[in-house]
Amino acid sequence: MGMLDKSMQMEQFSEAYFRAVVFTAGYNLQDPAVDEESIDWTIRDGVRSQIDVQLKCTAQKRILKEDALMFPLKVKNYNELIDANTLCPRILVVVFVPEDASEWLYQDEERLAIRHCAYWISLQGNPPSSNKHTVTVEIPRSRVFSVNALHELMARARGREWL
C-alpha cells in the first residue's frame, strides 16, 4: 500500500482542518455528491441558514504577502463563485500549510496544533474573468477561517446579509 501523493495529502489535510473548525463551531456539514458549481461543502445551521464552500489548499510561500494571500484560482472556479444570484452565500476557503508535510501539525498530551491557517473570501458579485487559466484572488490575511469568523458568517447568512 503506497503513500498519498502530495496533492491528495494536502486535499485530505485541508478537509480535516476545515471539518475541525466547522464541528468545533457546532455546525453540520453536507458533502455534495457531485462537485457542481465549485461547491465542495455546505455548512448548515439546521434549516435556518447555510453557506456553500469551495475548499483549496496551498503550500506556496511566494503567494503569502504581508497583508494578503494571493491565491491563483482556476477561472472555472472563479466564474462559478462570483454568481450573486444564489440561494445562499458562497465562500472560498484556502488552507495554507508549510511546504514540508512533517511540519503541518504538532501534538503532545496537552494539545494538537495545526500549522498555519485558513483564510476565507466571498467572491460573489465580482466581475467575470476572461483569463484563460487562473485568476489571482487577493484574500486579506485578516480573514482567518476560525470558529469566531464562522459564527459571524453564519449570523450574516441567517440575516440574509450576503458576504
Side-chain angles (χ1 to χ4, degrees), residues 106-113:
Y106 167 81
Q107 73 182 80
D108 61 24
E109 290 183 354
E110 295 293 316
R111 70 187 156 266
L112 172 65

Side-chain angles (χ1 to χ4, degrees), residues 127-145:
S129 175
S130 58
N131 290 6
K132 296 270 189 255
H133 303 288
T134 64
V135 175
T136 300
V137 176
E138 184 174 340
I139 307 172
R141 289 181 67 181
S142 60
R143 291 199 178 162
V144 173
F145 184 73

Side-chain angles (χ1 to χ4, degrees), residues 4 16-17 24 33 46 59 61 63 65 72-73 82 93-94 98 106-108 112 118 124 130 140 149:
L4 292 176
Y17 180 111
T24 300
K61 280 186 184 177
I63 70 169
K65 305 301 180 194
L73 183 65
I82 64 171
V93 174
V94 179
Y106 167 81
Q107 73 182 80
D108 61 24
L112 172 65
Q124 289 185 280
S130 58

Side-chain angles (χ1 to χ4, degrees), residues 29-49:
L29 274 178
Q30 180 179 349
D31 180 4
V34 177
D35 177 359
E36 186 177 21
E37 296 183 9
S38 298
I39 304 305
D40 295 318
W41 295 96
T42 298
I43 304 169
R44 298 182 61 94
D45 181 7
V47 295
R48 296 178 299 192
S49 60

Side-chain angles (χ1 to χ4, degrees), residues 52-67:
D52 289 334
V53 178
Q54 167 80 157
L55 183 63
K56 298 290 186 186
C57 187
T58 186
Q60 299 176 38
K61 280 186 184 177
R62 64 182 168 74
I63 70 169
L64 187 66
K65 305 301 180 194
E66 185 176 332
D67 295 329

Side-chain angles (χ1 to χ4, degrees), residues 13-31 40-46 49-55 91-93 95 114 118 120 144-154 158:
F13 186 83
S14 66
E15 286 185 12
Y17 180 111
F18 176 76
R19 293 169 70 91
V21 171
V22 171
F23 292 136
T24 300
Y27 300 112
N28 201 350
L29 274 178
Q30 180 179 349
D31 180 4
D40 295 318
W41 295 96
T42 298
I43 304 169
R44 298 182 61 94
D45 181 7
S49 60
Q50 68 183 47
I51 297 174
D52 289 334
V53 178
Q54 167 80 157
L55 183 63
I91 62 172
L92 170 66
V93 174
V95 177
I114 297 174
W120 71 272
V144 173
F145 184 73
S146 65
V147 171
N148 289 339
L150 183 52
H151 284 311
E152 289 178 23
L153 291 169
M154 292 301 284
R158 270 191 301 283

